[in-house]
Amino acid sequence: MNRQWLYAKQPVGKIGKDTFQWHEGAIPVPRDGEVLVRTRMLSLDPANRAWMMGKTYRDALEPGQVMSGFAIGEVVEAKSGGLKPGDIVEGDWGWQDYAALPTRRLTKRTTDAPLELLIGPLSVTGLTAYFGLLEVGQPKPGDTVLVSAAAGAVGSMAGQIARLAGCRVVGTAGGQDKCDWLVKELGFDAAVDYKAGGVFRALRVACPNGIDVYFDNTGGPVLDAALSLMNLKGRIVCCGNVSQYDVEKPAPGPMAVPGLVVTKRLRLEGFIVMDFYDRRAEAEARLARWISEGRIKAELDIFDGLERAPEALIGLFEGNNRGKRAVRV
Amino acid sequence: MNRQWLYAKQPVGKIGKDTFQWHEGAIPVPRDGEVLVRTRMLSLDPANRAWMMGKTYRDALEPGQVMSGFAIGEVVEAKSGGLKPGDIVEGDWGWQDYAALPTRRLTKRTTDAPLELLIGPLSVTGLTAYFGLLEVGQPKPGDTVLVSAAAGAVGSMAGQIARLAGCRVVGTAGGQDKCDWLVKELGFDAAVDYKAGGVFRALRVACPNGIDVYFDNTGGPVLDAALSLMNLKGRIVCCGNVSQYDVEKPAPGPMAVPGLVVTKRLRLEGFIVMDFYDRRAEAEARLARWISEGRIKAELDIFDGLERAPEALIGLFEGNNRGKRAVRV
């Protein structure tokens, strides 16, 4: 049997259990050129929510389809020369036990790293933090780097990489517990609880020399405050807009655009991690070494069981995760 | 006698005649290391208005000071080794007949180009268009380039340079006359009258393949529309925000920031022309050749007499200029 979560209907405002629908069907049979994959881990990402609202860097989700999502799995049957049973592969085949896919939609993983790292820190999540911070953000030693949603999967990695790059690192997160964790466990220089109010003033205190690089996972009020605190020629890495994904009516845009962008000569730049995949091997090797040496903590937040996938995604927008959230299937 | 326009008081909403105050004083006497300059041309720029509202890339204007502005003049007395009477120099000494200045605040011009070109097309204006478009915008042949305030000093140059770079060039301007001029005289492929309403729809028609580079002089509704029409990996050159300089209450920021910046992997980047001055000679030589060969039209809009400077600047925000506006003193 192939258990699946379907994307049932477009949410208005917050996603809920009725956004998804449980389905049990037959295990698909791979055709020539395809392989049958057994899902082992599912990645839960804020982007999953953005896909529901329209075309992004991929087509919008259509009600009735299997809920999309990045996954790690094991090949159980191969009708394709390139892969064989037992191979570990990654791809976007969504919330289901099994999928039959053409080889070109899969990437074979050749490392013996645990699946918990392959679903995030050593794949999309870690690489997003790595390339976004280093290539788009271009931090220099001594720079002040601000990271929003810093206790999240990408933010926690981006902040730690910035620390390794010799920067002063400040994070924003929801709640004092997460802020304490950022400073005490991950080595951030300061953290600001955006739910406590007075974000601009708190950030100004936390960044006495202004901000050189802002790694923006959230948009919203933290982006507004950061724009006012950016130094001349500062870089804003536009990685996500999570504060606006799970709302009925998005907030107005930042007043400082384009005024402060002109006068401070700022650069705001969006990116997608796949743009950098020609250099994936090098980046992954570096991340793996940093994690194994304990220089970066890869915090994991794993749910057990496919049936819990909706709950895990819904919770992401309530901010109840710390580090990389995934579902073990 | 040294005739001067003082900056009298900070405007609320639109600037008017009472923003400035006429003053007649003594001709200053240069000290050691200084030269006395006789003003020949004054440049009127939208940025003059922005300086009234706060610190930008320079300090804010203070009521009572001589109104600031870029100028071209002739050295009439030199107490400094580097310059001699008769030298033509440029600098920011503002709206007055004479100024005594240290040499380091002046740049000597060595070309025999007419002063009308040295005040704009072969100086700040032309170089802003040149470096902004080519270095920040990075256009490729076949790209669609949109330029706002395209009938203005910088916009008209930026659009023509984009045409020389093999791009399809679309401009926005206020009124059908200016739009016709852009297409018939400057070789734009299309022009949209932003005052006629329906800017988004008109731009969509004028840019059937989307926009690759947007040279933004205005911010406001044209920026909003452009963001929606940008192609993947498009570049927005943040040069100015003139739609918001002369207003009492600035418009909300663009809703598409940061959402579309992330999903379309856009880059918005502010710049200041001085950042590129190490390559000024090369750029100026190229602009001079293009103008002399008739490949670029350097449209001039000259007022005669220092007394007309306020009127010339006020008119800039009513959109009644075409090309480079300057005052001959």
Side-chain angles (χ1 to χ4, degrees), chain B residues 170 190-194 196-208 225 229:
Chain B
V170 178
V192 167
D193 174 8
Y194 76 90
V199 173
F200 175 77
R201 291 170 63 126
L203 283 176
R204 195 172 50 185
V205 170
C207 306
L229 294 166

Side-chain angles (χ1 to χ4, degrees), chain B residues 121-172:
Chain B
L122 293 183
S123 185
V124 179
T125 307
L127 295 167
T128 296
Y130 181 94
F131 289 118
L133 180 77
L134 298 179
E135 296 301 320
V136 184
Q138 296 280 331
K140 280 149 204 70
D143 276 358
T144 294
V145 174
L146 175 69
V147 180
S148 58
V154 170
S156 59
M157 298 283 284
Q160 293 181 89
I161 296 168
R163 181 173 47 70
L164 292 183
C167 301
R168 175 180 162 79
V169 186
V170 178
T172 64

Side-chain angles (χ1 to χ4, degrees), chain B residues 65-320:
Chain B
Q65 72 166 95
V66 174
M67 176 62 197
S68 293
F70 176 76
I72 295 276
E74 185 182 338
V75 175
V76 290
E77 186 183 349
K79 290 193 175 163
S80 163
L83 291 170
K84 60 179 192 308
D87 282 348
I88 297 295
V89 290
E90 66 172 38
D92 173 1
W93 62 79
W95 296 9
Q96 54 186 336
D97 285 326
Y98 293 95
L101 296 153
T103 315
R104 65 178 159 72
R105 287 189 47 201
L106 299 168
T107 302
K108 184 176 171 183
R109 301 306 311 259
T110 52
T111 160
D112 56 1
L115 297 183
E116 287 74 10
L117 291 181
L118 295 184
I119 194 64
L122 293 183
S123 185
V124 179
T125 307
L127 295 167
T128 296
Y130 181 94
F131 289 118
L133 180 77
L134 298 179
E135 296 301 320
V136 184
Q138 296 280 331
K140 280 149 204 70
D143 276 358
T144 294
V145 174
L146 175 69
V147 180
S148 58
V154 170
S156 59
M157 298 283 284
Q160 293 181 89
I161 296 168
R163 181 173 47 70
L164 292 183
C167 301
R168 175 180 162 79
V169 186
V170 178
T172 64
Q176 195 55 47
D177 278 1
K178 283 188 190 170
C179 288
D180 291 345
W181 176 69
L182 289 175
V183 172
K184 290 179 191 152
E185 299 295 322
L186 300 193
F188 279 57
D189 294 283
V192 167
D193 174 8
Y194 76 90
K195 290 182 175 171
V199 173
F200 175 77
R201 291 170 63 126
L203 283 176
R204 195 172 50 185
V205 170
C207 306
N209 299 316
I211 300 166
D212 299 292
V213 177
Y214 171 40
F215 193 107
D216 184 23
N217 290 307
T218 60
V222 180
L223 173 58
D224 288 337
L227 277 160
S228 293
L229 294 166
M230 293 302 292
N231 290 328
L232 283 187
K233 297 212 162 206
R235 288 80 69 196
I236 298 184
V237 182
C238 296
C239 182
N241 190 22
V242 66
S243 74
Q244 305 303 313
Y245 291 158
D246 202 36
V247 298
E248 189 168 347
K249 202 175 148 61
M255 289 288 288
V257 176
L260 289 185
V261 178
V262 175
T263 57
K264 293 186 180 181
R265 296 111 94 182
L266 304 179
R267 171 163 58 82
L268 283 84
E269 189 162 355
F271 73 105
I272 186 167
V273 64
M274 291 79 181
D275 292 345
F276 296 98
Y277 269 11
D278 56 330
R279 288 156 53 202
R280 178 173 178 168
E282 163 211 329
E284 231 174 71
R286 206 166 288 182
L287 288 167
R289 198 175 63 242
W290 287 337
I291 292 170
S292 72
E293 293 172 357
R295 302 179 73 190
I296 281 188
K297 286 185 185 151
E299 181 80 2
L300 303 168
D301 181 1
I302 311 278
F303 281 54
D304 272 299
L306 180 63
E307 57 279 16
R308 296 189 68 193
E311 170 196 347
L313 186 63
I314 291 165
L316 212 53
F317 297 98
E318 291 160 356
N320 64 21

Side-chain angles (χ1 to χ4, degrees), chain A residues 178-202:
Chain A
K178 283 186 189 170
C179 289
D180 290 345
W181 176 70
L182 289 174
V183 172
K184 289 179 191 152
E185 299 296 321
L186 301 193
F188 279 57
D189 294 283
V192 167
D193 174 8
Y194 75 90
K195 290 182 174 170
V199 173
F200 174 77
R201 291 170 63 125

